[in-house]
Amino acid sequence: MATHFHHKPNLYSSHVQLKVSALARSIEYYTTIIGFKVLKQTETEAYLTADGQTSLVSLVEVPNAAPLQPGFTGLYHLALLLPSRKDLGNIVQHFVNLNVRLGAADHDVSEALYLNDPDGNGIEIYIDRDESEWTWSEGEQVHMVTEQLNFQPILAAADGKWDGLPAGTVMGHVHLSVASLDKSEHFYTNVLDYKVVTRFGAQALFISTGKYHHHFGLNTWNSNNGHAPTEEMVGLKSVTVVLKDAAYAETVKQSLRDNDYVVEQFVAAPQFGGKQVFSTIDPNGLRIVFTIEGN
C-alpha cells in the first residue's frame, strides 16, 4: 500500500469525531463489527484505535440526541483505508460470518465496502489499487467510477485471520455532505490548499493533495442549500487535518482570517498529544480541527 498520501506534507485527515445517541451501543458496534479497540473511555466519550496508540475515530454521546435527517450538512461517510487486499478479504469474511448487510463498489482507483453505524453515520472500508493503475487525464483529473465489486479475488486473498482492524489502518478520506459546492470548493481549494481532482456533474467533487484520488469528497446529494447540524444532532462533530509544520500552520491561520473565518485556538485532549491546535468552521457549519501532530 502506498502510504505517502497519508503523511506530511499532504493535508490528510487523521481523525473523525462523531456524536452518537448511545455510547455503549456504538462502542459495541465499532469494536465487534468494525474491529476497533477502545484506547480510552469516559462516561460520555470513547477513543477508538486500530494500532493501540492513535485514535482514528472518537465517539461522543449527546444527551437527548436528535436523529440524522436529510437537508442538513455533515458526514456522508468516513473512510478507513486498509493496508492490503488480504485485509479487505478478511473483513469481508468477518462481515459474512456475522451476516452484516453492506454495500460495495469498484471505483477503479479503489475497492470499497459501505456500512452505516447504529446512528446512520456512513462508513467506508476500502483498499487502494496501486497508484500506477490510476488513470489521470492531462495529469489533472483522476478517473473514478462506481461499478460492481468483484468479491472473488478479494475473498481469495483472505487468510482467515481476523483479529480486528489491522494496525496499518488509516483514515483514508472523509466525504462531507455540503450546502453549496461553490462555497465549499472555494474554502477547500482557495482558503486551504486542496486541488480538485475529479467532478461528478454539478453535485459532487473530490479534492486532494499530492495527487491522491481524494482526501475529501464533497457532495450536495442530500444537503443542497441545507442547514448546519444542531449540537443535539448525531453525526459529525469534527474532522482533524494534519499540517506539515508550525510555520505552515501560521500560514493557514492567516488565510482563514483573511477570508473572514474564525480561528479558535485550544489545547487538544491527551489523545491528540495535548498540543496547541486550532479549528475553524467551514462554509457548511462543520468544524475542521488542524494539528501538526502526525506522521
Side-chain angles (χ1 to χ4, degrees):
M1 181 183 84
T3 59
H4 59 93
F5 296 115
H6 301 91
H7 283 74
K8 299 173 182 180
N10 285 309
L11 291 174
Y12 66 96
S13 299
S14 61
H15 185 266
V16 170
Q17 189 159 50
L18 297 173
K19 295 178 287 183
V20 300
S21 58
L23 186 62
R25 178 180 69 166
S26 292
I27 290 172
E28 172 72 12
Y29 177 84
Y30 279 94
T31 54
T32 304
I33 306 296
I34 303 299
F36 277 112
K37 297 175 179 66
V38 176
L39 183 64
K40 178 181 167 60
Q41 185 180 344
T42 67
E43 281 187 23
T44 57
E45 291 185 80
Y47 290 84
L48 306 176
T49 183
D51 66 3
Q53 297 175 306
T54 55
S55 175
L56 296 177
V57 175
S58 58
L59 310 170
V60 181
E61 184 174 285
V62 180
N64 306 311
L68 282 173
Q69 49 188 300
F72 287 84
T73 61
L75 184 73
Y76 191 70
H77 61 241
L78 60 86
L80 302 169
L81 175 59
L82 305 182
S84 72
R85 186 178 261 188
K86 177 191 76 176
D87 298 312
L88 191 66
N90 285 343
I91 202 168
V92 168
Q93 191 62 61
H94 163 68
F95 290 151
V96 169
N97 293 344
L98 293 182
N99 200 26
V100 173
R101 289 183 60 191
L102 60 130
D106 187 323
H107 295 303
D108 197 56
V109 294
S110 63
E111 297 173 299
L113 312 174
Y114 295 94
L115 309 90
N116 290 305
D117 81 359
D119 286 301
N121 294 305
I123 303 165
E124 176 181 343
I125 298 172
Y126 75 109
I127 57 168
D128 281 331
R129 285 201 169 89
D130 191 274
E131 62 184 295
S132 65
E133 298 178 50
W134 304 350
T135 304
W136 292 84
S137 62
E138 292 143 23
E140 294 300 316
Q141 300 284 292
V142 68
H143 176 67
M144 291 202 296
V145 295
T146 298
E147 294 177 347
Q148 192 168 347
L149 184 64
N150 181 0
F151 279 96
Q152 267 186 304
I154 294 168
L155 285 167
D159 64 6
K161 295 175 182 172
W162 170 255
D163 187 31
L165 290 170
T169 303
V170 298
M171 187 65 67
H173 63 266
V174 179
H175 196 145
L176 301 175
S177 294
V178 302
S180 163
L181 217 52
D182 287 346
K183 289 179 182 174
S184 298
E185 180 176 349
H186 180 269
F187 175 79
Y188 286 96
T189 66
N190 287 51
V191 182
L192 302 181
D193 286 331
Y194 291 96
K195 300 274 189 294
V196 175
V197 288
T198 198
R199 297 180 190 271
F200 284 7
Q203 295 184 308
L205 59 85
F206 297 84
I207 57 175
S208 76
T209 56
K211 290 196 76 174
Y212 190 47
H213 56 71
H214 65 297
H215 287 109
F216 276 99
L218 308 165
N219 81 69
T220 57
W221 295 322
N222 301 311
S223 54
N224 193 37
N225 298 318
H227 303 286
T230 64
E231 284 296 318
E232 300 78 37
M233 196 174 286
V234 298
L236 185 67
K237 187 170 176 68
S238 69
V239 177
T240 300
V241 171
V242 178
L243 306 178
K244 61 185 177 183
D245 56 35
Y248 183 61
E250 293 306 314
T251 301
V252 171
K253 285 182 203 173
Q254 193 58 53
S255 180
L256 288 166
R257 292 186 181 116
D258 288 346
N259 287 275
D260 299 322
Y261 288 95
V262 174
V263 174
E264 294 183 45
Q265 292 274 166
F266 61 97
V267 176
Q271 292 77 18
F272 302 107
K275 300 290 197 308
Q276 283 283 337
V277 294
F278 65 97
S279 72
T280 196
I281 304 294
D282 86 348
N284 310 290
L286 307 176
R287 185 171 296 281
I288 312 296
V289 177
F290 298 95
T291 179
I292 57 173
E293 296 301 306
N295 297 320

